Amino acid sequence: MTMGVQIDSGVDVGLIQHYGNPVAEARAMADGRGVVALGNREVVQVSGPDRLEYLHNITTQHLAQLQPGTATTMLLLSPTGHIEHVLHAVDDGHRLLGWTEPGRGAELVAFLDRMRFMMRVEVELRTDLEVAWYGHQVPAPEAAVVRDSELGGSDVFLPAGTPMPPEAVPVGMWAFEAARIAAGVPRIFVDTDHKTIPNEIGLLGTHLDKGCYRGQETVARVHTLGRPPRRLVQLHLDGSLVELPPVGAALELDGRAVGFVGSSARHHELGPIALGLVKRNVPVEATLTADGIPAAQEVLVDPEVGLHVRPVLR
């Protein structure tokens, strides 16, 4: 693959920032021709005849009847409903391969291994595999594919109907992250923190009608009886400034902290954009400041979510 400029800091250090023309790379993504190397994502394999029933029981996702080749995202929550792990995966009928964020694989494997009990399941970290993304206009995490350790090698595992684009164009993280942020797709552990519950980010990967899983009580209670304490927003940053806010920077309203910034990027059409988590009661029309940069909000999670199922009190 063509040499590019590497990222020198942050969670994606070592990945390619761009290959010389981020705008052309963004257009290749929009045309479905982009290929993004995500070599820092960590690959987890779950095998054994009970794997889908096992994962169905402990995650937020419907998996017991998962069809081979179907991509999915599952969350693992704490007993109080906070997001502890995420796994984007595909099952081929014999094993499930998935990926999680950098530095999270060993902890996830250890957790899954502890939860096996008597079920016929084996869990391992696959350091010989890497993750790539291609062929989708919206960079949903589950659209990524698992490949052998050389990006040009043969496909090992991929969602059904996802062939390599015939005129593939290498794309860096600049264009990839900008497209993801523009689509309002949060990245777990970057756009979330240790207190995040699924309701705050739009119930990513969660099915409220699934049945029991760890942390379900919090998710269901917030959905039926109240509103999540925070909400995911897209931020349109002041384009006259060169800087982008760092991950974790405070979002402020009238000098008061009301949330934090997650990922940010420069989009080839929208300009500088970011994702953030803000308190639910922050007015949606209010202009915030992100590390001192003016930021207008675009609603991604309705601040009134949950009220449509809330019982009438008499």
Side-chain angles (χ1 to χ4, degrees):
M1 183 172 281
T2 306
M3 295 295 291
V5 176
Q6 287 191 340
I7 298 172
D8 59 10
S9 63
V11 67
D12 289 328
V13 62
L15 296 187
I16 299 300
Q17 179 77 299
H18 63 82
Y19 293 91
N21 191 335
V23 173
E25 294 167 34
R27 289 172 177 158
M29 282 193 64
D31 293 341
R33 296 179 293 115
V35 178
V36 184
L38 300 172
N40 65 343
R41 272 53 165 180
E42 299 189 346
V43 179
V44 174
Q45 176 175 297
V46 184
S47 56
D50 296 335
R51 67 192 181 282
L52 293 181
E53 179 186 356
Y54 156 71
L55 291 170
H56 177 90
N57 289 339
I58 64 174
T59 75
T60 60
Q61 188 62 272
H62 278 281
L63 296 168
Q65 304 300 321
L66 184 69
Q67 296 301 303
T70 302
T72 189
T73 291
M74 64 198 83
L75 301 174
L76 292 110
L77 309 181
S78 73
T80 52
H82 300 124
I83 299 171
E84 290 189 335
H85 299 285
V86 62
L87 187 64
H88 312 286
V90 184
D91 192 275
D92 67 355
H94 304 284
R95 60 174 177 169
L96 179 140
L97 277 179
W99 64 270
T100 191
E101 289 290 334
R104 302 279 179 167
E107 184 181 352
L108 174 56
V109 167
F111 175 81
L112 292 174
D113 201 48
R114 289 196 304 271
M115 299 296 288
R116 287 188 304 114
F117 301 110
M118 299 298 292
M119 302 198 79
R120 297 169 297 171
V121 173
E122 296 179 357
V123 186
E124 61 180 303
L125 191 63
R126 293 293 304 270
T127 57
D128 58 322
L129 301 177
E130 72 172 17
V131 176
W133 177 96
Y134 59 71
H136 295 259
Q137 293 180 332
V138 176
E142 61 270 20
V145 303
V146 179
R147 302 171 61 88
D148 65 14
S149 58
E150 294 295 329
L151 185 58
S154 59
D155 290 333
V156 175
F157 214 68
L158 68 162
T162 312
M164 174 70 83
E167 298 179 357
V169 175
V171 170
M173 294 301 293
W174 180 330
F176 179 76
E177 285 290 271
R180 178 183 64 81
I181 295 167
V185 177
R187 183 175 173 184
I188 305 299
F189 310 127
V190 176
D191 301 309
T192 67
D193 62 10
H194 69 284
K195 298 185 296 182
T196 303
I197 62 175
N199 314 63
E200 296 176 325
I201 58 172
L203 299 174
L204 176 68
T206 302
H207 295 258
L208 289 167
D209 61 349
K210 171 184 173 289
C212 293
Y213 55 86
R214 193 168 79 149
Q216 181 205 18
E217 292 82 2
T218 296
V219 173
R221 184 171 63 250
V222 171
H223 181 71
T224 58
L225 297 178
R227 292 164 285 184
R230 299 178 300 180
R231 56 185 177 85
L232 184 72
V233 295
Q234 186 180 95
L235 301 168
H236 294 266
L237 305 169
D238 184 348
S240 66
L241 302 176
V242 175
E243 298 83 4
L244 291 173
V247 174
L251 279 170
E252 296 184 342
L253 176 61
D254 298 328
R256 178 174 55 92
V258 294
F260 70 90
V261 180
S263 45
S264 59
R266 293 189 181 278
H267 191 272
H268 68 295
E269 293 178 342
L270 300 176
I273 53 176
L275 294 177
L277 270 178
V278 300
K279 294 180 179 179
R280 181 194 57 78
N281 58 2
V282 171
V284 297
E285 69 278 2
T287 297
L288 310 177
T289 57
D291 197 37
I293 303 170
Q297 303 174 69
E298 183 170 332
V299 174
L300 296 176
V301 173
D302 185 350
E304 303 303 327
V305 67
L307 288 186
H308 61 292
V309 295
R310 201 169 175 182
V312 177
L313 300 178
R314 298 185 184 278

